[in-house]
mmCIF file of all heavy atoms in Angstrom:
data_model
loop_
_atom_site.group_PDB
_atom_site.id
_atom_site.type_symbol
_atom_site.label_atom_id
_atom_site.label_comp_id
_atom_site.label_asym_id
_atom_site.label_seq_id
_atom_site.Cartn_x
_atom_site.Cartn_y
_atom_site.Cartn_z
ATOM 1 N N GLY A 1 -15.673 3.196 28.569
ATOM 2 C CA GLY A 1 -16.495 2.403 27.662
ATOM 3 C C GLY A 1 -17.540 1.545 28.334
ATOM 4 O O GLY A 1 -18.258 0.805 27.659
ATOM 5 N N GLU A 2 -17.650 1.597 29.668
ATOM 6 C CA GLU A 2 -18.614 0.792 30.393
ATOM 7 C C GLU A 2 -19.889 1.561 30.703
ATOM 8 O O GLU A 2 -19.847 2.771 30.956
ATOM 9 C CB GLU A 2 -18.032 0.330 31.747
ATOM 10 C CG GLU A 2 -17.159 -0.878 31.701
ATOM 11 C CD GLU A 2 -16.808 -1.337 33.105
ATOM 12 O OE1 GLU A 2 -16.758 -0.513 34.031
ATOM 13 O OE2 GLU A 2 -16.564 -2.547 33.258
ATOM 14 N N THR A 3 -20.996 0.850 30.730
ATOM 15 C CA THR A 3 -22.197 1.385 31.359
ATOM 16 C C THR A 3 -22.087 1.107 32.861
ATOM 17 O O THR A 3 -21.266 0.294 33.298
ATOM 18 C CB THR A 3 -23.466 0.726 30.815
ATOM 19 O OG1 THR A 3 -23.451 -0.677 31.171
ATOM 20 C CG2 THR A 3 -23.552 0.851 29.296
ATOM 21 N N LEU A 4 -22.930 1.751 33.647
ATOM 22 C CA LEU A 4 -22.927 1.476 35.084
ATOM 23 C C LEU A 4 -23.321 0.032 35.371
ATOM 24 O O LEU A 4 -22.788 -0.612 36.272
ATOM 25 C CB LEU A 4 -23.867 2.442 35.799
ATOM 26 C CG LEU A 4 -23.460 3.922 35.754
ATOM 27 C CD1 LEU A 4 -24.531 4.783 36.406
ATOM 28 C CD2 LEU A 4 -22.113 4.150 36.426
ATOM 29 N N GLU A 5 -24.257 -0.495 34.569
ATOM 30 C CA GLU A 5 -24.673 -1.891 34.744
ATOM 31 C C GLU A 5 -23.532 -2.854 34.434
ATOM 32 O O GLU A 5 -23.365 -3.881 35.109
ATOM 33 C CB GLU A 5 -25.884 -2.189 33.858
ATOM 34 C CG GLU A 5 -27.168 -1.476 34.274
ATOM 35 C CD GLU A 5 -27.232 -0.036 33.778
ATOM 36 O OE1 GLU A 5 -26.302 0.415 33.069
ATOM 37 O OE2 GLU A 5 -28.219 0.648 34.099
ATOM 38 N N ASP A 6 -22.730 -2.530 33.408
ATOM 39 C CA ASP A 6 -21.557 -3.353 33.105
ATOM 40 C C ASP A 6 -20.555 -3.318 34.260
ATOM 41 O O ASP A 6 -19.921 -4.333 34.578
ATOM 42 C CB ASP A 6 -20.869 -2.855 31.831
ATOM 43 C CG ASP A 6 -21.641 -3.202 30.570
ATOM 44 O OD1 ASP A 6 -22.458 -4.137 30.624
ATOM 45 O OD2 ASP A 6 -21.421 -2.532 29.538
ATOM 46 N N THR A 7 -20.417 -2.144 34.884
ATOM 47 C CA THR A 7 -19.521 -2.028 36.033
ATOM 48 C C THR A 7 -19.983 -2.935 37.166
ATOM 49 O O THR A 7 -19.171 -3.597 37.824
ATOM 50 C CB THR A 7 -19.455 -0.570 36.526
ATOM 51 O OG1 THR A 7 -19.084 0.285 35.450
ATOM 52 C CG2 THR A 7 -18.436 -0.432 37.646
ATOM 53 N N VAL A 8 -21.297 -2.960 37.412
ATOM 54 C CA VAL A 8 -21.852 -3.827 38.448
ATOM 55 C C VAL A 8 -21.451 -5.277 38.194
ATOM 56 O O VAL A 8 -20.920 -5.963 39.078
ATOM 57 C CB VAL A 8 -23.390 -3.693 38.500
ATOM 58 C CG1 VAL A 8 -24.001 -4.797 39.353
ATOM 59 C CG2 VAL A 8 -23.789 -2.324 39.026
ATOM 60 N N ARG A 9 -21.684 -5.768 36.977
ATOM 61 C CA ARG A 9 -21.377 -7.170 36.653
ATOM 62 C C ARG A 9 -19.883 -7.459 36.780
ATOM 63 O O ARG A 9 -19.484 -8.484 37.333
ATOM 64 C CB ARG A 9 -21.861 -7.486 35.236
ATOM 65 C CG ARG A 9 -23.366 -7.344 35.035
ATOM 66 C CD ARG A 9 -23.761 -7.764 33.635
ATOM 67 N NE ARG A 9 -25.160 -7.462 33.365
ATOM 68 C CZ ARG A 9 -25.606 -6.354 32.751
ATOM 69 N NH1 ARG A 9 -24.712 -5.448 32.332
ATOM 70 N NH2 ARG A 9 -26.889 -6.155 32.561
ATOM 71 N N ARG A 10 -19.055 -6.557 36.247
ATOM 72 C CA ARG A 10 -17.604 -6.788 36.254
ATOM 73 C C ARG A 10 -17.045 -6.786 37.666
ATOM 74 O O ARG A 10 -16.262 -7.677 38.044
ATOM 75 C CB ARG A 10 -16.894 -5.721 35.406
ATOM 76 C CG ARG A 10 -15.371 -5.852 35.438
ATOM 77 C CD ARG A 10 -14.695 -4.762 34.622
ATOM 78 N NE ARG A 10 -15.098 -3.432 35.041
ATOM 79 C CZ ARG A 10 -14.650 -2.814 36.138
ATOM 80 N NH1 ARG A 10 -13.779 -3.413 36.938
ATOM 81 N NH2 ARG A 10 -15.057 -1.591 36.433
ATOM 82 N N GLU A 11 -17.415 -5.782 38.462
ATOM 83 C CA GLU A 11 -16.859 -5.684 39.814
ATOM 84 C C GLU A 11 -17.255 -6.896 40.661
ATOM 85 O O GLU A 11 -16.446 -7.414 41.435
ATOM 86 C CB GLU A 11 -17.332 -4.390 40.485
ATOM 87 C CG GLU A 11 -16.661 -3.128 39.958
ATOM 88 C CD GLU A 11 -15.194 -3.038 40.362
ATOM 89 O OE1 GLU A 11 -14.776 -3.749 41.307
ATOM 90 O OE2 GLU A 11 -14.453 -2.273 39.720
ATOM 91 N N ILE A 12 -18.485 -7.335 40.520
ATOM 92 C CA ILE A 12 -18.928 -8.502 41.290
ATOM 93 C C ILE A 12 -18.162 -9.750 40.872
ATOM 94 O O ILE A 12 -17.712 -10.538 41.709
ATOM 95 C CB ILE A 12 -20.445 -8.710 41.124
ATOM 96 C CG1 ILE A 12 -21.200 -7.557 41.781
ATOM 97 C CG2 ILE A 12 -20.885 -10.044 41.711
ATOM 98 C CD1 ILE A 12 -22.691 -7.557 41.509
ATOM 99 N N MET A 13 -17.990 -9.938 39.582
ATOM 100 C CA MET A 13 -17.253 -11.103 39.101
ATOM 101 C C MET A 13 -15.795 -11.039 39.538
ATOM 102 O O MET A 13 -15.211 -12.037 39.971
ATOM 103 C CB MET A 13 -17.356 -11.194 37.575
ATOM 104 C CG MET A 13 -16.588 -12.358 36.964
ATOM 105 S SD MET A 13 -17.053 -14.000 37.642
ATOM 106 C CE MET A 13 -18.760 -14.115 37.059
ATOM 107 N N GLU A 14 -15.176 -9.844 39.450
ATOM 108 C CA GLU A 14 -13.769 -9.711 39.819
ATOM 109 C C GLU A 14 -13.541 -9.919 41.317
ATOM 110 O O GLU A 14 -12.564 -10.551 41.724
ATOM 111 C CB GLU A 14 -13.252 -8.333 39.413
ATOM 112 C CG GLU A 14 -13.087 -8.138 37.921
ATOM 113 C CD GLU A 14 -12.608 -6.752 37.563
ATOM 114 O OE1 GLU A 14 -12.511 -5.887 38.462
ATOM 115 O OE2 GLU A 14 -12.347 -6.508 36.371
ATOM 116 N N GLU A 15 -14.423 -9.382 42.158
ATOM 117 C CA GLU A 15 -14.165 -9.370 43.600
ATOM 118 C C GLU A 15 -14.675 -10.614 44.328
ATOM 119 O O GLU A 15 -14.064 -11.044 45.307
ATOM 120 C CB GLU A 15 -14.763 -8.104 44.223
ATOM 121 C CG GLU A 15 -14.082 -6.836 43.724
ATOM 122 C CD GLU A 15 -14.469 -5.605 44.511
ATOM 123 O OE1 GLU A 15 -15.252 -5.732 45.485
ATOM 124 O OE2 GLU A 15 -13.995 -4.509 44.162
ATOM 125 N N VAL A 16 -15.801 -11.176 43.857
ATOM 126 C CA VAL A 16 -16.347 -12.342 44.567
ATOM 127 C C VAL A 16 -16.731 -13.497 43.637
ATOM 128 O O VAL A 16 -17.245 -14.516 44.094
ATOM 129 C CB VAL A 16 -17.569 -11.945 45.434
ATOM 130 C CG1 VAL A 16 -17.122 -11.125 46.629
ATOM 131 C CG2 VAL A 16 -18.610 -11.196 44.618
ATOM 132 N N GLY A 17 -16.517 -13.363 42.324
ATOM 133 C CA GLY A 17 -16.719 -14.463 41.395
ATOM 134 C C GLY A 17 -18.159 -14.916 41.236
ATOM 135 O O GLY A 17 -18.414 -16.106 41.015
ATOM 136 N N LEU A 18 -19.102 -13.987 41.311
ATOM 137 C CA LEU A 18 -20.519 -14.333 41.212
ATOM 138 C C LEU A 18 -21.163 -13.707 39.973
ATOM 139 O O LEU A 18 -20.729 -12.646 39.503
ATOM 140 C CB LEU A 18 -21.271 -13.846 42.461
ATOM 141 C CG LEU A 18 -20.833 -14.431 43.803
ATOM 142 C CD1 LEU A 18 -21.549 -13.729 44.941
ATOM 143 C CD2 LEU A 18 -21.080 -15.936 43.851
ATOM 144 N N LYS A 19 -22.208 -14.360 39.483
ATOM 145 C CA LYS A 19 -23.025 -13.808 38.415
ATOM 146 C C LYS A 19 -24.318 -13.250 39.016
ATOM 147 O O LYS A 19 -24.840 -13.802 39.990
ATOM 148 C CB LYS A 19 -23.358 -14.875 37.373
ATOM 149 C CG LYS A 19 -22.154 -15.367 36.575
ATOM 150 C CD LYS A 19 -22.581 -16.383 35.516
ATOM 151 C CE LYS A 19 -21.394 -16.854 34.691
ATOM 152 N NZ LYS A 19 -21.799 -17.842 33.657
ATOM 153 N N VAL A 20 -24.824 -12.154 38.405
ATOM 154 C CA VAL A 20 -26.029 -11.520 38.938
ATOM 155 C C VAL A 20 -27.011 -11.193 37.822
ATOM 156 O O VAL A 20 -26.657 -11.168 36.640
ATOM 157 C CB VAL A 20 -25.688 -10.230 39.719
ATOM 158 C CG1 VAL A 20 -24.861 -10.544 40.954
ATOM 159 C CG2 VAL A 20 -24.967 -9.224 38.823
ATOM 160 N N LYS A 21 -28.251 -10.926 38.224
ATOM 161 C CA LYS A 21 -29.312 -10.547 37.290
ATOM 162 C C LYS A 21 -30.215 -9.521 37.972
ATOM 163 O O LYS A 21 -30.042 -9.197 39.145
ATOM 164 C CB LYS A 21 -30.114 -11.776 36.871
ATOM 165 C CG LYS A 21 -30.783 -12.498 38.048
ATOM 166 C CD LYS A 21 -31.481 -13.778 37.599
ATOM 167 C CE LYS A 21 -32.108 -14.498 38.808
ATOM 168 N NZ LYS A 21 -32.771 -15.773 38.403
ATOM 169 N N ASN A 22 -31.198 -9.022 37.237
ATOM 170 C CA ASN A 22 -32.188 -8.071 37.777
ATOM 171 C C ASN A 22 -31.522 -6.861 38.435
ATOM 172 O O ASN A 22 -31.830 -6.497 39.578
ATOM 173 C CB ASN A 22 -33.120 -8.763 38.790
ATOM 174 C CG ASN A 22 -33.858 -9.942 38.201
ATOM 175 O OD1 ASN A 22 -34.164 -9.963 37.009
ATOM 176 N ND2 ASN A 22 -34.155 -10.939 39.024
ATOM 177 N N ILE A 23 -30.623 -6.230 37.727
ATOM 178 C CA ILE A 23 -29.911 -5.068 38.261
ATOM 179 C C ILE A 23 -30.882 -3.888 38.351
ATOM 180 O O ILE A 23 -31.472 -3.486 37.354
ATOM 181 C CB ILE A 23 -28.700 -4.714 37.381
ATOM 182 C CG1 ILE A 23 -27.711 -5.888 37.380
ATOM 183 C CG2 ILE A 23 -28.020 -3.443 37.876
ATOM 184 C CD1 ILE A 23 -26.563 -5.722 36.400
ATOM 185 N N GLN A 24 -31.029 -3.341 39.545
ATOM 186 C CA GLN A 24 -32.035 -2.317 39.830
ATOM 187 C C GLN A 24 -31.366 -1.099 40.462
ATOM 188 O O GLN A 24 -30.727 -1.195 41.510
ATOM 189 C CB GLN A 24 -33.096 -2.884 40.780
ATOM 190 C CG GLN A 24 -34.148 -1.887 41.246
ATOM 191 C CD GLN A 24 -35.033 -2.461 42.334
ATOM 192 O OE1 GLN A 24 -34.731 -3.518 42.904
ATOM 193 N NE2 GLN A 24 -36.124 -1.775 42.633
ATOM 194 N N TYR A 25 -31.532 0.081 39.836
ATOM 195 C CA TYR A 25 -30.949 1.311 40.386
ATOM 196 C C TYR A 25 -31.659 1.714 41.669
ATOM 197 O O TYR A 25 -32.880 1.639 41.772
ATOM 198 C CB TYR A 25 -31.052 2.440 39.360
ATOM 199 C CG TYR A 25 -30.605 3.789 39.869
ATOM 200 C CD1 TYR A 25 -29.255 4.064 40.059
ATOM 201 C CD2 TYR A 25 -31.541 4.778 40.176
ATOM 202 C CE1 TYR A 25 -28.841 5.298 40.530
ATOM 203 C CE2 TYR A 25 -31.132 6.020 40.651
ATOM 204 C CZ TYR A 25 -29.784 6.272 40.831
ATOM 205 O OH TYR A 25 -29.385 7.501 41.306
ATOM 206 N N TYR A 26 -30.882 2.158 42.682
ATOM 207 C CA TYR A 26 -31.454 2.615 43.942
ATOM 208 C C TYR A 26 -31.376 4.135 44.050
ATOM 209 O O TYR A 26 -32.380 4.822 43.947
ATOM 210 C CB TYR A 26 -30.736 1.942 45.118
ATOM 211 C CG TYR A 26 -31.162 2.459 46.464
ATOM 212 C CD1 TYR A 26 -32.465 2.293 46.913
ATOM 213 C CD2 TYR A 26 -30.262 3.144 47.294
ATOM 214 C CE1 TYR A 26 -32.868 2.783 48.144
ATOM 215 C CE2 TYR A 26 -30.654 3.619 48.536
ATOM 216 C CZ TYR A 26 -31.956 3.444 48.950
ATOM 217 O OH TYR A 26 -32.352 3.935 50.168
ATOM 218 N N LYS A 27 -30.224 4.715 44.273
ATOM 219 C CA LYS A 27 -30.030 6.170 44.284
ATOM 220 C C LYS A 27 -28.539 6.468 44.236
ATOM 221 O O LYS A 27 -27.713 5.557 44.269
ATOM 222 C CB LYS A 27 -30.687 6.832 45.494
ATOM 223 C CG LYS A 27 -30.107 6.442 46.825
ATOM 224 C CD LYS A 27 -30.651 7.322 47.973
ATOM 225 C CE LYS A 27 -32.130 7.128 48.214
ATOM 226 N NZ LYS A 27 -32.578 7.823 49.469
ATOM 227 N N SER A 28 -28.181 7.753 44.167
ATOM 228 C CA SER A 28 -26.776 8.142 44.027
ATOM 229 C C SER A 28 -26.344 9.015 45.196
ATOM 230 O O SER A 28 -27.167 9.492 45.986
ATOM 231 C CB SER A 28 -26.552 8.880 42.704
ATOM 232 O OG SER A 28 -27.295 10.088 42.679
ATOM 233 N N GLN A 29 -25.016 9.223 45.273
ATOM 234 C CA GLN A 29 -24.446 10.027 46.348
ATOM 235 C C GLN A 29 -23.090 10.599 45.932
ATOM 236 O O GLN A 29 -22.244 9.875 45.414
ATOM 237 C CB GLN A 29 -24.256 9.172 47.609
ATOM 238 C CG GLN A 29 -23.566 9.905 48.740
ATOM 239 C CD GLN A 29 -23.410 9.055 49.983
ATOM 240 O OE1 GLN A 29 -22.974 7.916 49.916
ATOM 241 N NE2 GLN A 29 -23.781 9.611 51.136
ATOM 242 N N PRO A 30 -22.853 11.903 46.157
ATOM 243 C CA PRO A 30 -21.497 12.426 45.987
ATOM 244 C C PRO A 30 -20.631 11.957 47.136
ATOM 245 O O PRO A 30 -21.086 11.884 48.282
ATOM 246 C CB PRO A 30 -21.709 13.956 46.038
ATOM 247 C CG PRO A 30 -22.943 14.136 46.873
ATOM 248 C CD PRO A 30 -23.819 12.948 46.573
ATOM 249 N N TRP A 31 -19.381 11.618 46.855
ATOM 250 C CA TRP A 31 -18.488 11.111 47.896
ATOM 251 C C TRP A 31 -17.114 11.741 47.706
ATOM 252 O O TRP A 31 -16.275 11.267 46.946
ATOM 253 C CB TRP A 31 -18.417 9.589 47.847
ATOM 254 C CG TRP A 31 -17.875 8.966 49.096
ATOM 255 C CD1 TRP A 31 -16.703 8.269 49.221
ATOM 256 C CD2 TRP A 31 -18.472 8.971 50.399
ATOM 257 N NE1 TRP A 31 -16.549 7.835 50.508
ATOM 258 C CE2 TRP A 31 -17.623 8.253 51.260
ATOM 259 C CE3 TRP A 31 -19.651 9.516 50.914
ATOM 260 C CZ2 TRP A 31 -17.902 8.073 52.611
ATOM 261 C CZ3 TRP A 31 -19.940 9.335 52.254
ATOM 262 C CH2 TRP A 31 -19.075 8.624 53.084
ATOM 263 N N GLY A 32 -16.893 12.858 48.408
ATOM 264 C CA GLY A 32 -15.690 13.649 48.197
ATOM 265 C C GLY A 32 -14.403 12.977 48.610
ATOM 266 O O GLY A 32 -13.335 13.346 48.124
ATOM 267 N N LEU A 33 -14.443 11.974 49.509
ATOM 268 C CA LEU A 33 -13.211 11.295 49.932
ATOM 269 C C LEU A 33 -12.498 10.646 48.765
ATOM 270 O O LEU A 33 -11.266 10.578 48.733
ATOM 271 C CB LEU A 33 -13.525 10.241 50.997
ATOM 272 C CG LEU A 33 -13.822 10.751 52.411
ATOM 273 C CD1 LEU A 33 -14.124 9.580 53.330
ATOM 274 C CD2 LEU A 33 -12.657 11.561 52.959
ATOM 275 N N SER A 34 -13.266 10.139 47.798
ATOM 276 C CA SER A 34 -12.669 9.493 46.624
ATOM 277 C C SER A 34 -12.881 10.314 45.356
ATOM 278 O O SER A 34 -12.574 9.838 44.263
ATOM 279 C CB SER A 34 -13.262 8.093 46.432
ATOM 280 O OG SER A 34 -14.678 8.156 46.330
ATOM 281 N N GLY A 35 -13.412 11.531 45.503
ATOM 282 C CA GLY A 35 -13.641 12.373 44.328
ATOM 283 C C GLY A 35 -14.629 11.766 43.357
ATOM 284 O O GLY A 35 -14.490 11.908 42.146
ATOM 285 N N SER A 36 -15.648 11.094 43.884
ATOM 286 C CA SER A 36 -16.532 10.319 43.020
ATOM 287 C C SER A 36 -17.998 10.661 43.235
ATOM 288 O O SER A 36 -18.370 11.349 44.182
ATOM 289 C CB SER A 36 -16.311 8.819 43.263
ATOM 290 O OG SER A 36 -16.506 8.501 44.624
ATOM 291 N N VAL A 37 -18.816 10.171 42.317
ATOM 292 C CA VAL A 37 -20.256 10.126 42.529
ATOM 293 C C VAL A 37 -20.636 8.652 42.471
ATOM 294 O O VAL A 37 -20.292 7.934 41.529
ATOM 295 C CB VAL A 37 -21.035 10.956 41.494
ATOM 296 C CG1 VAL A 37 -20.778 10.494 40.063
ATOM 297 C CG2 VAL A 37 -22.529 10.929 41.792
ATOM 298 N N LEU A 38 -21.287 8.172 43.534
ATOM 299 C CA LEU A 38 -21.612 6.761 43.678
ATOM 300 C C LEU A 38 -23.032 6.493 43.207
ATOM 301 O O LEU A 38 -23.953 7.230 43.560
ATOM 302 C CB LEU A 38 -21.491 6.332 45.138
ATOM 303 C CG LEU A 38 -20.180 6.672 45.854
ATOM 304 C CD1 LEU A 38 -20.247 6.241 47.314
ATOM 305 C CD2 LEU A 38 -19.000 6.027 45.158
ATOM 306 N N SER A 39 -23.220 5.446 42.429
ATOM 307 C CA SER A 39 -24.546 5.004 42.014
ATOM 308 C C SER A 39 -24.834 3.672 42.683
ATOM 309 O O SER A 39 -24.081 2.707 42.520
ATOM 310 C CB SER A 39 -24.617 4.845 40.487
ATOM 311 O OG SER A 39 -24.470 6.098 39.853
ATOM 312 N N GLY A 40 -25.906 3.618 43.462
ATOM 313 C CA GLY A 40 -26.251 2.411 44.185
ATOM 314 C C GLY A 40 -27.194 1.517 43.399
ATOM 315 O O GLY A 40 -28.151 2.005 42.791
ATOM 316 N N PHE A 41 -26.929 0.222 43.411
ATOM 317 C CA PHE A 41 -27.772 -0.752 42.713
ATOM 318 C C PHE A 41 -28.037 -1.939 43.636
ATOM 319 O O PHE A 41 -27.182 -2.322 44.440
ATOM 320 C CB PHE A 41 -27.082 -1.277 41.448
ATOM 321 C CG PHE A 41 -26.922 -0.267 40.352
ATOM 322 C CD1 PHE A 41 -25.815 0.562 40.315
ATOM 323 C CD2 PHE A 41 -27.874 -0.160 39.345
ATOM 324 C CE1 PHE A 41 -25.652 1.490 39.300
ATOM 325 C CE2 PHE A 41 -27.717 0.768 38.324
ATOM 326 C CZ PHE A 41 -26.612 1.592 38.303
ATOM 327 N N PHE A 42 -29.223 -2.517 43.501
ATOM 328 C CA PHE A 42 -29.507 -3.842 44.046
ATOM 329 C C PHE A 42 -29.592 -4.812 42.871
ATOM 330 O O PHE A 42 -29.987 -4.429 41.758
ATOM 331 C CB PHE A 42 -30.824 -3.858 44.821
ATOM 332 C CG PHE A 42 -30.739 -3.257 46.188
ATOM 333 C CD1 PHE A 42 -31.182 -1.967 46.428
ATOM 334 C CD2 PHE A 42 -30.212 -3.989 47.250
ATOM 335 C CE1 PHE A 42 -31.106 -1.402 47.692
ATOM 336 C CE2 PHE A 42 -30.136 -3.440 48.520
ATOM 337 C CZ PHE A 42 -30.584 -2.141 48.746
ATOM 338 N N CYS A 43 -29.230 -6.067 43.105
ATOM 339 C CA CYS A 43 -29.347 -7.087 42.071
ATOM 340 C C CYS A 43 -29.519 -8.436 42.750
ATOM 341 O O CYS A 43 -29.339 -8.570 43.974
ATOM 342 C CB CYS A 43 -28.130 -7.087 41.148
ATOM 343 S SG CYS A 43 -26.566 -7.394 41.990
ATOM 344 N N ASP A 44 -29.858 -9.452 41.966
ATOM 345 C CA ASP A 44 -30.083 -10.792 42.499
ATOM 346 C C ASP A 44 -29.007 -11.753 42.012
ATOM 347 O O ASP A 44 -28.528 -11.647 40.864
ATOM 348 C CB ASP A 44 -31.457 -11.312 42.058
ATOM 349 C CG ASP A 44 -32.588 -10.498 42.644
ATOM 350 O OD1 ASP A 44 -32.555 -10.242 43.861
ATOM 351 O OD2 ASP A 44 -33.503 -10.109 41.886
#
């Protein structure tokens, strides 16, 4: 039920307790070690 942007906000809040803005997509990568496709973002 999450968007990728929602994942960015949630993971940051859960792991380091910070709020962010200006979420900007960078690029993606397949990562077979975790069976995933990674989406990279920068934010402020």
Side-chain angles (χ1 to χ4, degrees):
E2 277 188 332
T3 65
L4 295 176
E5 292 81 2
D6 286 339
T7 305
V8 168
R9 298 184 188 95
R10 177 182 55 77
E11 286 290 342
I12 293 172
M13 178 56 66
E14 289 179 354
E15 295 191 2
V16 289
L18 299 173
K19 293 183 179 180
V20 295
K21 60 184 178 181
N22 302 329
I23 298 172
Q24 175 188 12
Y25 174 74
Y26 174 64
K27 65 170 66 171
S28 63
Q29 175 179 48
W31 197 246
L33 284 179
S34 56
S36 56
V37 59
L38 308 177
S39 294
F41 292 87
F42 283 101
C43 60
D44 295 312

